[in-house]
């Protein structure tokens, strides 16, 4: 029986790396479903996500014609593991404080199994006291944080904030 992997994509430039992650899991015989924020879809397209995963993208909580009206609950129950990559400061903060106003944040709040987050953001954002406090909250709740790497960032600065490479 195939393991079920749910990948959450939030809206940062590192969203393109999530496509490699989807491909890797599918290639290794996992069933993959994806939930993405509207901002994530500014960086990667629904067609690409659906083609690589072989499943319909979940993005709009109020879209008619979905498999279920409570798709976020169904996905949370379906998944064996949930990986949010990239995890922006926004989604980290929402989840740390129980906020749910989109498909990804509502799915996160309904999920109760193994959860990984791969943060990606500017180095100043990563170092921000509020972001670090939110990460500690999540770690204390058992979320596995895949620490970002140092290097050249999309904003042309150098520092810690690069999402861990999908191959890792």
């Amino acid at each position: 029986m195939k393991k079920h992997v749910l990948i959450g994509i939030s809206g940062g430039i590192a969203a393109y790396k999530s496509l490699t992650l989807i491909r890797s899991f599918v290639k290794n015989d996992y069933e993959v479903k994806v939930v993405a924020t509207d901002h994530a879809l500014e960086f990667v397209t629904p067609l690409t996500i659906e083609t690589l995963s072989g499943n319909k993208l979940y993005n709009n909580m109020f879209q008619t014609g979905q498999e279920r009206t409570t798709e976020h609950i169904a996905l949370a129950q379906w998944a064996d593991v949930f990986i949010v990559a990239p995890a922006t400061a926004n989604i980290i903060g929402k989840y740390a404080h129980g906020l749910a106003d989109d498909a990804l944040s509502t799915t996160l709040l309904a999920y109760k199994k193994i959860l990984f987050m791969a943060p990606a953001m500017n180095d100043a954002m990563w170092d921000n006291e509020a972001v670090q406090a939110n990460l500690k909250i999540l770690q204390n709740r058992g979320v596995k944080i895949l620490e970002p790497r140092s290097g050249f960032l999309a904003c042309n600065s150098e520092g810690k904030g690069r999402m861990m490479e999908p191959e890792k």
Side-chain angles (χ1 to χ4, degrees):
M1 185 164 117
K2 285 188 178 188
K3 288 276 189 191
H4 298 158
V5 176
L6 183 58
I7 296 177
I9 307 173
S10 63
I13 187 66
Y16 77 91
K17 292 182 178 184
S18 64
L19 301 176
T20 301
L21 192 60
I22 294 166
R23 243 180 113 72
S24 295
F25 278 113
V26 169
K27 186 177 178 182
N28 285 290
D29 208 32
Y30 290 84
E31 186 171 354
V32 176
K33 292 187 179 182
V34 178
V35 58
T37 65
D38 287 339
H39 290 140
L41 299 180
E42 296 291 326
F43 295 99
V44 294
T45 69
L47 179 60
T48 303
I49 291 167
E50 290 177 350
T51 300
L52 292 176
S53 70
N55 284 302
K56 187 172 176 1
L57 168 69
Y58 178 53
N59 165 257
N60 183 342
M61 295 183 342
F62 303 106
Q63 182 177 342
T64 57
Q66 292 183 136
E67 199 171 317
R68 293 178 179 84
T69 56
T70 56
E71 191 67 19
H72 58 290
I73 304 297
L75 285 171
Q77 293 170 343
W78 171 87
D80 296 311
V81 66
F82 194 170
I83 303 166
V84 181
T88 59
N90 185 49
I91 198 67
I92 290 166
K94 281 183 182 183
Y95 187 48
H97 296 283
L99 302 176
D101 64 356
D102 61 25
L104 179 53
S105 57
T106 56
T107 305
L108 277 166
L109 288 184
Y111 185 74
K112 297 182 181 200
K113 299 173 214 161
I114 302 166
L115 174 63
F116 293 90
M117 286 194 152
M121 62 197 74
N122 166 272
D123 57 319
M125 293 172 71
W126 172 257
D127 290 335
N128 185 284
E129 188 177 314
V131 171
Q132 291 302 310
N134 288 336
L135 288 165
K136 290 239 182 297
I137 288 168
L138 296 180
Q139 286 174 315
N140 289 339
R141 291 183 191 155
V143 176
K144 292 158 183 34
I145 306 297
L146 305 171
E147 288 263 334
R149 303 301 187 241
S150 292
F152 188 70
L153 303 170
C155 59
N156 292 323
S157 69
E158 186 110 12
K160 190 169 185 177
R162 292 178 56 86
M163 186 177 108
M164 180 185 286
E165 294 303 319
E167 297 80 13
K168 299 275 183 201

